[in-house]
Amino acid sequence: MIKRQKIYEGKAKILFKGPDPDTLIQYFKDDATAFNAEKKAVIEGKGALNNILSEHFMKGLSSIGIPTHFLQRLNMREQLIKSCEIIPLEIVVRNFAAGSMSQRLGVKEGTKLSRPLVEFYFKNDELNDPLVTEEHIVGFNWATQAELEEIMTIALRVNDFISGMMHSVNIKLVDFKIEIGRFFDNEFEKLIIADEISPDSCRLWDSLSGEKLDKDIFRQDLGNLIDGYREVAKRFGVLPNQSFSELKEVTK
Ligand code: UDP
């Protein structure tokens, strides 16, 4: 067996060298972390569900002309992606108050915002991903002013599209986080959506009952995380047939 070359291991994913120089293999782990990895667990099946759901959302985005890193799903845990230079920002879009924003500003969870709100966090675990302004982003050269404007446009388009997808299956998109990277197409730079879009990176509430179907189940000890993720996959018709113990078989 040929040994893969590991490029990077994060909290929930591993990146391996891909078959071509501008590709990578993204492996979804079953590890769940919250509060900057202070809370940890291994939840069987989480990786496979995130792999399939991220594929589903990324394909939807490409279908309306929003470029993403997704190329092809390889198996239940892995996908082939375009390699890009990640802009060191977590881009959060919120439709309803929740999580850190509710805490910071004392706004009741679930309060509808008068319009979608885009926030930027500097991707730095040691600093606990601090909230930053556009001035910091341009001032510290994390992105140019032109890139920042494009990032805002992309973030709001993603919000419109994913909100619509969720609405069609009776799910409210409360908020989500995306990461964006620079991809060089010959000498031209293009911004593409990277990382993942999954219940790990979105807050998803059932439209009728308000039940949480995302990582808050784990953060707040609300029950079995997998039940929420499975429900999301089921509503989109992408729930895998295999049992999770079979899905575990894919080797690292
Ligand atoms: N989020 C994420 N990764 C992070 C921080 C946040 O995917 O490192 C997502 C989170 O799941 C939620 C949104 O971004 O959907 C907004 O998160 P928030 O700022 O409220 O922080 P949290 O309460 O999750 O710490």
Side-chain angles (χ1 to χ4, degrees), residues 90 92 94 98-100 121 129 175-177 200-203 219:
E90 300 205 332
V92 169
R94 303 178 186 274
S100 70
Y121 294 82
D129 298 342
D175 60 29
F176 66 91
K177 184 258 324 187
D200 263 12
S201 59
C202 302
R203 282 198 170 88
R219 290 190 191 100

Side-chain angles (χ1 to χ4, degrees), residues 195-214:
D195 192 52
E196 72 182 295
I197 301 180
S198 74
D200 263 12
S201 59
C202 302
R203 282 198 170 88
L204 305 172
W205 296 355
D206 180 89
S207 308
L208 303 172
S209 67
E211 186 191 351
K212 294 182 178 177
L213 303 170
D214 56 70

Side-chain angles (χ1 to χ4, degrees), residues 3-236:
K3 194 164 183 317
R4 293 248 186 89
Q5 197 178 330
K6 197 191 275 187
I7 305 278
Y8 172 80
E9 178 156 4
K11 286 175 278 202
K13 294 183 294 291
I14 305 174
L15 293 176
F16 296 98
K17 246 188 179 170
D20 301 308
D22 59 351
T23 64
L24 294 172
I25 293 168
Q26 180 165 252
Y27 176 100
F28 288 78
K29 301 197 278 187
D30 278 341
D31 302 41
T33 62
F35 314 117
N36 205 5
E38 274 171 36
K39 181 170 178 172
K40 286 186 203 166
V42 175
I43 302 176
E44 191 174 313
K46 182 178 89 82
L49 285 164
N50 281 347
N51 186 21
I52 280 171
L53 282 164
S54 195
E55 170 189 12
H56 187 65
F57 300 131
M58 296 277 184
K59 278 183 173 166
L61 291 171
S62 323
S63 77
I64 61 154
I66 300 177
T68 82
H69 71 167
F70 181 83
L71 291 170
Q72 188 193 339
R73 185 154 61 79
L74 299 173
N75 53 52
M76 292 313 292
R77 282 196 177 274
E78 295 174 325
Q79 48 183 246
L80 188 67
I81 57 169
K82 286 180 187 165
S83 166
C84 64
E85 186 185 297
I86 296 284
I87 293 177
L89 296 174
E90 300 205 332
I91 301 141
V92 169
V93 184
R94 303 178 186 274
N95 298 304
F96 298 86
S100 70
M101 197 187 74
S102 281
Q103 279 175 7
R104 197 172 45 245
L105 302 179
V107 186
K108 190 171 176 290
E109 187 175 82
T111 307
K112 188 166 178 14
L113 305 176
S114 60
R115 61 174 195 186
L117 192 144
V118 183
E119 289 176 340
F120 301 103
Y121 294 82
F122 178 44
K123 243 174 93 70
N124 185 316
D125 283 342
E126 276 171 38
L127 301 176
N128 236 329
D129 298 342
L131 180 67
V132 292
T133 68
E134 298 186 19
E135 294 294 304
H136 295 110
I137 296 168
V138 177
F140 290 115
N141 295 314
W142 296 326
T144 65
Q145 188 63 47
E147 283 175 332
L148 199 49
E149 279 160 29
E150 199 182 331
I151 289 171
M152 280 291 259
T153 307
I154 294 172
L156 291 171
R157 282 189 78 197
V158 171
N159 184 45
D160 281 348
F161 185 75
I162 305 286
S163 290
M165 277 183 94
M166 294 295 174
H167 182 70
S168 72
V169 296
N170 281 322
I171 292 176
K172 211 154 89 169
L173 180 62
V174 173
D175 60 29
F176 66 91
K177 184 258 324 187
I178 49 170
E179 293 183 25
I180 290 184
R182 302 181 180 100
F183 179 76
F184 295 93
D185 204 353
N186 293 319
E187 71 270 34
F188 295 106
E189 181 195 309
K190 198 160 98 175
L191 295 184
I192 65 176
I193 312 271
D195 192 52
E196 72 182 295
I197 301 180
S198 74
D200 263 12
S201 59
C202 302
R203 282 198 170 88
L204 305 172
W205 296 355
D206 180 89
S207 308
L208 303 172
S209 67
E211 186 191 351
K212 294 182 178 177
L213 303 170
D214 56 70
K215 207 165 97 175
D216 274 350
I217 302 173
F218 172 70
R219 290 190 191 100
Q220 301 170 1
D221 294 318
L222 299 176
N224 188 351
L225 178 92
I226 283 300
D227 291 343
Y229 287 34
R230 282 180 77 106
E231 179 60 26
V232 177
K234 198 169 110 200
R235 291 194 195 184
F236 284 109

